[in-house]
Amino acid sequence: MQTIYLDVLLVFNLYVNYILLRMTARLTHCRLRFCRCLAVSALGSISTLMIFLPPMPLFLSVLCKLLVAVLLCLCAFGVHNPMRLCWSSICLFGSSFLLAGILLALSLLCGVRVL
């Protein structure tokens, strides 16, 4: 059985969410102040506690993660129009996939076991 330290999980995800929100702001050309980005990152790191829930079907899991991405974009960038919210959510979700792929590739190249 694997041990997951709650403080490490939350702090690591705070950093990752901050990077992802900054990347999304850069891609969508939205302004994002430091304090707001930090607050939304903290909200996003709390959402990672979903890993302690019982296993969900793949469709439901992806849907929950997409809803969290929309909620984070809503809190970070506000609602100017629905298309902009949709675009920023897609950029956040895509940036998350990109960062996960990069980290997985680095761990495989360095010989570090991820799971």
Side-chain angles (χ1 to χ4, degrees):
M1 180 162 208
Q2 217 171 16
T3 304
I4 299 174
Y5 294 102
L6 192 59
D7 57 341
V8 174
L9 176 73
L10 292 175
V11 170
F12 180 74
N13 278 290
L14 179 78
Y15 291 135
V16 169
N17 287 329
Y18 183 83
I19 291 167
L20 290 174
L21 284 169
R22 284 289 174 196
M23 196 183 315
T24 301
R26 178 74 56 134
L27 287 171
T28 59
H29 304 289
C30 292
R31 292 181 58 186
L32 185 60
R33 291 188 326 246
F34 173 77
C35 293
R36 178 173 257 187
C37 188
L38 197 61
V40 175
S41 298
L43 179 67
S45 70
I46 291 171
S47 74
T48 60
L49 297 177
M50 288 189 324
I51 67 168
F52 296 113
L53 294 175
M56 294 184 277
L58 180 64
F59 174 75
L60 189 59
S61 176
V62 171
L63 182 65
C64 285
K65 290 173 185 171
L66 190 58
L67 288 175
V68 167
V70 171
L71 176 69
L72 292 179
C73 287
L74 186 64
C75 292
F77 307 117
V79 181
H80 299 292
N81 66 31
M83 286 305 293
R84 188 167 187 148
L85 178 64
C86 182
W87 175 243
S88 61
S89 299
I90 289 170
C91 284
L92 180 64
F93 208 61
S95 298
S96 177
F97 274 119
L98 180 67
L99 184 62
I102 290 171
L103 291 176
L104 181 63
L106 284 174
S107 70
L108 290 174
L109 288 174
C110 296
V112 176
R113 186 171 168 231
V114 177
L115 295 174

